Amino acid sequence: MSVPAIRTAGPGRPRDAEVGRKALQAAIELYAELGWAKFTLDAVARRAGIGKAAIYRRWPSREKLVMDALEWALATPALTIDTGNLRDELRELARAMMDHYLGPHGLAGLRLHVEARAYPELFADLSATIRRSRVLNARAVIRRAIARGELGEHASPSLILDTLLGGVLNHVLATPEDLRPKMTAGSARYIEEVTEFVLTAAVAIYPPPTGL
């Protein structure tokens, strides 16, 4: 999503795109930290270090601003993984999810999916769109593996992906705050281990017709 333009005038004032970027960045940070109930336009202006008038000219409501910020931060092109090898594709899926959760917008993404239930009229559609795109691309990985003969024909995409991606999510959420630097530093090793664990289990439960 492109940064919405905010018109400003006078020498030395920030360019429209820069003002817009600062506002969206501040908005996504505040939403992630405070949630929708405490999200205000005034707080965004303070965090961004820009005048309230500039915010209100472009975003007359907090609903409009938070939706623009979420789309700007989270509505990225769907990840397409097709390496021709199940182990590599599972590893890439797990790594992409880990990078997202540990990235600057990971908390905002998690909060969006939770608040889609609390405020469905505002967040449900965007949450469903993002989730649907990711789920379809992830399930395609398992279906291609079945077609290549890497897994048996009755392999469950839902069970395999729930185990892999749910493991990544739980690893991030269950790690105490004081251990997060260590968890982040060891994330690559964890990705290798969880991928191998899930792949070994999947092949054992759904053995391929002729073996891998």
Side-chain angles (χ1 to χ4, degrees), residues 135-207:
V135 166
L136 290 176
N137 280 280
R139 287 183 176 176
V141 166
I142 307 303
R143 294 194 177 99
R144 286 194 302 269
I146 294 171
R148 290 192 299 260
E150 292 183 272
L151 293 172
E153 61 179 339
H154 299 298
S156 169
S158 295
L159 184 57
I160 294 170
L161 295 170
D162 284 353
T163 305
L164 178 70
L165 302 182
V168 173
L169 175 58
N170 183 71
H171 185 63
V172 173
L173 294 181
T175 299
E177 196 62 32
D178 62 315
L179 295 179
R180 285 183 69 84
K182 181 178 179 181
M183 181 265 290
T184 300
S187 62
R189 179 179 177 182
Y190 176 80
I191 292 302
E192 293 295 331
E193 291 176 346
V194 74
T195 298
E196 197 62 31
F197 176 84
V198 172
L199 180 63
T200 300
V203 172
I205 297 170
Y206 309 111

Side-chain angles (χ1 to χ4, degrees), residues 2-3 18 45 48 80 83 88 94 104 110 116 122 133 164 166 194:
S2 61
V3 177
E18 180 63 12
T80 300
T83 67
D88 292 342
L110 291 172
L122 183 58
S133 174
L164 178 70
V194 74

Side-chain angles (χ1 to χ4, degrees), residues 58 81 104 115 141:
R58 179 61 182 85
I81 299 173
E115 294 201 326
V141 166

Side-chain angles (χ1 to χ4, degrees), residues 61-150:
S61 70
R62 69 184 190 130
E63 289 84 359
K64 172 63 175 170
L65 176 52
V66 78
M67 290 306 296
D68 278 357
L70 286 167
E71 291 179 4
W72 171 71
L74 302 176
T76 55
L79 178 68
T80 300
I81 299 173
D82 187 358
T83 67
N85 178 276
L86 180 57
R87 175 179 278 103
D88 292 342
E89 292 181 5
L90 291 178
R91 184 188 299 114
E92 288 304 309
L93 276 175
R95 181 180 293 119
M97 287 297 96
M98 179 71 81
D99 289 346
H100 169 69
Y101 293 138
L102 296 181
H105 307 310
L107 180 57
L110 291 172
R111 191 179 288 280
L112 168 66
H113 295 309
V114 172
E115 294 201 326
R117 292 175 178 258
Y119 308 99
E121 70 285 353
L122 183 58
F123 299 119
D125 286 349
L126 178 59
S127 174
T129 297
I130 293 173
R131 191 187 304 273
R132 186 180 304 114
S133 174
R134 290 174 180 170
V135 166
L136 290 176
N137 280 280
R139 287 183 176 176
V141 166
I142 307 303
R143 294 194 177 99
R144 286 194 302 269
I146 294 171
R148 290 192 299 260
E150 292 183 272

